[in-house]
Amino acid sequence: MASSSSSMDRVSWRAQVLTRHLQQPSSSHSSVAPVLESSVCLQYAPPELSEKFDFDVREMRQLMDGHNIEDRDWLFGLMIQSKLFCPRNSGGKVFVSPDYNQSMEQQREMTMKRIAYLLDRGVFEGWLTEKGAEAELRKFAFFEVIGIFDHSLAVKLGVHFFLWGGAIQFFGTKRHHDKWLKDTESYVIKGCFAMTELGHGSNVRGIETITTYDTSTGEFVINTPCESAQKYWIGGAANHATYTIVFSQLHINGKSEGVHAFITQIRDANGNICPNIRIADCGHKIGLNGVDNGRIWFDNVRIPRENLLNSVADVSQDGQYLSAIKDPDQRFAAFLSPLTSGRVTIALSSIYSTKISLAIAIRYSLTRRAFSVSPNGPEILLLDYPSHQRRLLPLLAKTYAMSFAANYLKAVYVKRTPAANKTIHILSSAYKATFTWHDMKTLQECREACGGQGLKTENRIGQLKSENDVKSTFEGDNNVLMQQVSKALLSEYIAAKKKKKPFKGLGLEHMNDSCPVIPAQLSSSVLRSSKFQVDIFCLRERDLLNRLASQVAERQAQGESREYAFLMSYQLAEDLARAFSERAILQNFLESEASLSVGSLKNVLGLLRSMYAMVSLEEDASFLRYGYMSTENDAAVRKEVMKLCSELRSHALSLVSSFGIPDAFLSPIAFNWIESNSWSSVHN
């Protein structure tokens, strides 16, 4: 009744305010002027003045970034110093971000100028010529910083170094390394990567470009046999690239030996397109207009025999096909396994664009006020509204969880061995899809949480949506990648059962244990315990894997092929891939948490980990659909999310400050948004 009475009082108060407003006499009907009450204008106050910092943000940043902190900060400073990175003053601060008002052609040229600037200052030194985990981690650190400034710049570099350069490193042999890598690192050669076709994207095995071998000249002949075989979306091809890696079906003596990769020149040193090659522009895009995506046709283009990247297979001078791997399926798998580098870099960069948007939206919500809860009372900070906390803080917790998972993926990748290729392929597929979906969801929520200010290009979030949208489909469509994850898990299951051996690898060892038992009643302490969280995540994964295996087997028993049976079980496959990814992320989080001694940093990580777990439980209908939780326990989870939001509220500023992103790489609304929108700013 008290609540109802309070609600009626508020309605009455609002009605009185409106009545006074409507009945206020105008000057034309009364000689008595209305009384004007003084009003204090809004003033910006930095949130650091009122928010507390309960842990060392430098220590948290070290945990989040993981490595090369000084190198990252050096590169941040290098970019802020140059006018090429469009520094501008707003609200008493300097900000840097690309000028998206430039034309597509201007943006592309600015990308190349920025590359030249970074090249001259040694940023790319050793990216292809130095070996070892330390060199690779330094490269990753620089690449992540560059992506914080501009996704176009990062993609342009990624195509040149990770795709073109990576293909030569991994598909080529010493003769290719000696001839091409140093000139690639110094940009004497500008490379691109021609895999995708108009008619084939994720299905690399189905590409239609054909390469034959001419024994009379010792040359390969590359041809685009039809319009659907044109190479499409090739980053760097439209304007700048001089060479490309062409992925093509290799036909030897009338037999197709499958997809292979060939080094092919497409322009001379002066930028002129080579004979028998046609190049067209893919045109303007919703984002990434600093990258010159192009289309390529090959009209019987001849290249030397030595230009076949031959780490997996070769062709002799007299035209004999040579490979130690006789099985075409195994050969194709070995051929594509190095391509995981693209998925790894996309997964990593997605975390940083998520961090940018959260840092901006949360800082804004700590200084922007709206409405009051009592007549004539002060307006309330946006982040003090429980609904606003619910919008942003679970996304913040997920971002922390995925940061630790990204660091784990990076560590496995830089220390990779042939035995780890399967793990890297599956993890990079799952994490690339999970992280990029999370990135787009977070960008949209942060855009909305900033209201109209989120629409302004200078405030970055809206533009980041357009720039990063492509991540959901390039280097593998996310839905296809998640199906690959489930298919791999199913293969592991079938192999383990057939050999009657325990599960090993991919975190599936929990399948060897007895089935976890979930308590009938879930108290707050149980919900926050790592044991419960691991148990229920593992329960979901093992049950879904058992269900998928059972359903596929049942369909096969009815005469369907295993492939078709799997395709028709896609709903279970989607649920399983999500379960695998979220369980793996939770385990990565727990490993990072376990590395810390007891203290304030570990305490706040415990809150974040519990928030990640609770939101995952709340968002996935599988927990209710398959009976892992009752509706009562689902309600308890939802209630716990609200409690965690309240507890994390006081840490919000310190958590986004721990991202280590300099102020210049955020936006005006993250700081003094009143001053940056003042009349004086119009003339400055």
Side-chain angles (χ1 to χ4, degrees):
M1 291 298 293
S3 159
S4 175
S5 174
S6 173
S7 177
M8 288 302 296
D9 289 345
R10 185 159 181 78
V11 170
S12 175
W13 170 70
R14 286 181 177 273
Q16 291 173 17
V17 171
L18 287 171
T19 301
R20 286 198 300 268
H21 171 73
L22 293 172
Q23 292 180 348
Q24 187 175 40
S26 65
S27 58
S28 61
H29 293 86
S30 174
S31 59
V32 181
V35 177
L36 298 178
E37 296 181 0
S38 62
S39 174
V40 178
C41 291
L42 290 174
Q43 299 293 320
Y44 171 81
E48 287 83 358
L49 298 178
S50 55
E51 299 295 312
K52 62 179 181 178
F53 286 70
D54 285 340
F55 58 87
D56 187 339
V57 296
R58 293 170 298 180
E59 188 180 354
M60 183 70 91
R61 184 196 175 188
Q62 181 66 56
L63 194 64
M64 293 280 281
D65 279 339
H67 58 91
N68 297 90
I69 303 297
E70 291 183 2
D71 289 326
R72 292 171 192 266
D73 289 342
W74 171 78
L75 183 52
F76 279 130
L78 197 65
M79 290 192 285
I80 293 171
Q81 293 169 15
S82 172
K83 291 184 178 180
L84 288 172
F85 295 85
C86 307
R88 68 190 188 285
N89 193 294
S90 181
K93 278 185 171 289
V94 173
F95 296 96
V96 292
S97 65
D99 182 358
Y100 296 111
N101 291 317
Q102 292 181 325
S103 68
M104 179 179 74
E105 292 75 15
Q106 289 172 322
Q107 289 184 55
R108 291 175 176 182
E109 289 311 307
M110 283 301 294
T111 297
M112 290 307 297
K113 288 178 180 179
R114 288 165 183 148
I115 288 173
Y117 172 83
L118 298 174
L119 177 68
D120 289 345
R121 283 148 186 83
V123 173
F124 310 132
E125 186 177 335
W127 277 32
L128 292 171
T129 55
E130 290 184 18
K131 296 181 179 179
E134 185 177 333
E136 286 215 66
L137 287 173
R138 182 172 178 267
K139 176 173 64 176
F140 274 128
F142 282 162
F143 191 70
E144 288 159 10
V145 168
I146 289 166
I148 287 172
F149 170 74
D150 180 26
H151 193 209
S152 283
L153 180 57
V155 168
K156 185 82 168 179
L157 290 170
V159 168
H160 179 75
F161 283 103
F162 290 95
L163 295 183
W164 155 268
I168 292 172
Q169 276 185 321
F170 301 130
F171 297 152
T173 51
K174 188 176 186 301
R175 73 186 189 208
H176 304 109
H177 300 164
D178 293 344
K179 183 175 181 179
W180 303 98
L181 290 182
K182 186 176 180 181
D183 283 350
T184 296
E185 189 174 284
S186 61
Y187 266 90
V188 172
I189 289 168
K190 300 181 184 74
C192 64
F193 189 80
M195 175 183 281
T196 304
E197 296 178 355
L198 177 62
H200 291 85
S202 296
N203 182 17
V204 177
R205 204 164 195 166
I207 61 175
E208 298 173 292
T209 302
I210 293 174
T211 297
T212 56
Y213 181 70
D214 185 343
T215 54
S216 65
T217 63
E219 295 174 312
F220 288 109
V221 183
I222 304 174
N223 189 50
T224 302
C226 52
E227 289 296 348
S228 60
Q230 64 180 273
K231 293 299 181 181
Y232 213 97
W233 291 125
I234 311 307
N239 295 123
H240 303 127
T242 53
Y243 283 83
T244 190
I245 303 290
V246 181
F247 286 80
S248 171
Q249 302 287 352
L250 175 60
H251 290 191
I252 298 293
N253 299 321
K255 179 185 176 184
S256 175
E257 298 292 353
V259 177
H260 291 67
F262 305 85
I263 297 174
T264 307
Q265 187 171 8
I266 58 174
R267 286 187 179 86
D268 63 23
N270 296 319
N272 301 305
I273 297 173
C274 294
N276 300 331
I277 286 176
R278 291 172 285 150
I279 296 178
D281 203 310
C282 286
H284 195 274
K285 308 179 290 289
I286 65 171
L288 285 183
N289 285 301
V291 179
D292 52 319
N293 294 92
R295 303 148 63 193
I296 312 175
W297 292 257
F298 302 92
D299 301 322
N300 295 315
V301 175
R302 289 179 172 267
I303 61 171
R305 182 179 68 89
E306 292 77 17
N307 282 22
L308 167 66
L309 295 175
N310 63 340
S311 65
V312 174
D314 206 348
V315 174
S316 65
Q317 183 71 39
D318 61 353
Q320 298 302 309
Y321 184 76
L322 309 169
S323 179
I325 306 174
K326 301 305 179 184
D327 182 85
D329 292 336
Q330 292 180 6
R331 192 162 62 233
F332 182 71
F335 187 69
L336 289 187
S337 61
L339 294 180
T340 53
S341 66
R343 290 195 293 274
V344 171
T345 55
I346 293 167
L348 300 178
S349 67
S350 296
I351 296 300
Y352 283 93
S353 53
T354 305
K355 289 178 180 178
I356 295 168
S357 65
L358 283 167
I360 293 170
I362 287 176
R363 288 191 65 91
Y364 184 58
S365 71
L366 287 168
T367 61
R368 181 68 156 86
R369 296 176 179 272
F371 306 107
S372 60
V373 294
S374 62
N376 302 318
E379 290 185 291
I380 307 301
L381 286 173
L382 294 183
L383 201 60
D384 284 337
Y385 283 99
S387 58
H388 211 77
Q389 296 170 14
R390 182 62 181 81
R391 295 172 69 179
L392 297 179
L393 299 185
L395 296 173
L396 179 62
K398 278 193 164 187
T399 301
Y400 264 79
M402 292 177 193
S403 291
F404 298 134
N407 286 341
Y408 175 79
L409 175 62
K410 203 186 310 184
V412 173
Y413 181 78
V414 300
K415 298 174 183 176
R416 62 193 175 277
T417 62
N421 280 343
K422 179 172 66 176
T423 297
I424 294 171
H425 167 66
I426 295 170
L427 265 186
S428 65
S429 296
Y431 285 1
K432 184 263 184 184
T434 303
F435 296 179
T436 55
W437 275 330
H438 170 68
D439 186 26
M440 292 309 296
K441 178 181 179 180
T442 304
L443 286 166
Q444 179 63 31
E445 194 64 63
C446 289
R447 207 298 294 157
E448 293 181 28
C450 292
Q453 291 294 330
L455 291 175
K456 295 185 70 175
T457 303
E458 71 171 8
N459 289 327
R460 300 208 66 187
I461 300 175
Q463 193 66 40
L464 284 172
K465 282 177 54 189
S466 298
E467 294 292 305
N468 288 278
D469 202 344
V470 66
K471 291 178 181 177
S472 299
T473 50
F474 76 178
E475 292 297 311
D477 175 278
N478 282 355
N479 289 284
V480 174
L481 291 179
M482 291 299 255
Q483 286 208 12
Q484 288 182 11
V485 170
S486 291
K487 188 178 291 186
L489 296 175
L490 179 61
S491 296
E492 291 292 308
Y493 180 95
I494 292 171
K497 295 298 183 182
K498 185 176 181 179
K499 296 176 183 178
K500 296 182 179 179
K501 290 187 175 181
F503 289 88
K504 185 178 181 181
L506 300 176
L508 293 177
E509 289 82 1
H510 68 88
M511 298 284 292
N512 303 320
D513 302 329
S514 57
C515 187
V517 177
I518 305 303
Q521 299 293 325
L522 298 180
S523 64
S524 180
S525 59
V526 170
L527 288 170
R528 297 191 187 199
S529 72
S530 58
K531 182 182 185 307
F532 162 75
Q533 293 162 9
V534 170
D535 280 352
I536 197 162
F537 276 46
C538 289
L539 173 62
R540 173 182 52 161
E541 184 180 20
R542 72 186 292 148
D543 181 66
L544 288 170
L545 183 49
N546 281 320
R547 286 174 184 268
L548 179 62
S550 176
Q551 186 165 308
V552 169
E554 286 176 11
R555 299 188 76 103
Q556 284 184 279
Q558 296 169 9
E560 295 177 357
S561 68
R562 179 176 163 185
E563 185 68 26
Y564 184 75
F566 178 82
L567 289 176
M568 295 306 293
S569 304
Y570 71 94
Q571 289 178 316
L572 275 172
E574 289 174 355
D575 290 342
L576 173 60
R578 177 175 184 168
F580 168 81
S581 184
E582 291 181 351
R583 187 268 307 155
I585 291 169
L586 177 63
Q587 289 190 327
N588 297 153
F589 199 137
L590 285 165
E591 289 163 7
S592 296
E593 195 179 337
S595 69
L596 298 172
S597 56
V598 174
S600 56
L601 194 65
K602 189 162 189 169
N603 292 341
V604 77
L605 286 181
L607 294 176
L608 290 165
R609 185 243 309 146
S610 289
M611 175 68 92
Y612 168 73
M614 293 304 101
V615 171
S616 298
L617 293 177
E618 185 182 38
E619 291 178 346
D620 187 6
S622 293
F623 290 101
L624 284 175
R625 180 183 298 128
Y626 302 111
Y628 313 139
M629 285 199 314
S630 65
T631 55
E632 291 79 6
N633 282 339
D634 183 63
V637 166
R638 193 178 192 199
K639 183 178 179 182
E640 199 64 29
V641 169
M642 293 305 300
K643 289 170 63 178
L644 286 162
C645 281
S646 178
E647 292 174 44
L648 283 170
R649 160 62 184 88
S650 62
H651 301 293
L653 181 61
S654 52
L655 287 170
V656 296
S657 298
S658 300
F659 292 160
I661 302 172
D663 295 355
F665 291 81
L666 298 179
S667 72
I669 59 166
F671 301 97
N672 194 341
W673 44 272
I674 296 177
E675 178 62 26
S676 67
N677 285 283
S678 66
W679 176 249
S680 61
S681 70
V682 176
H683 300 283
N684 293 330

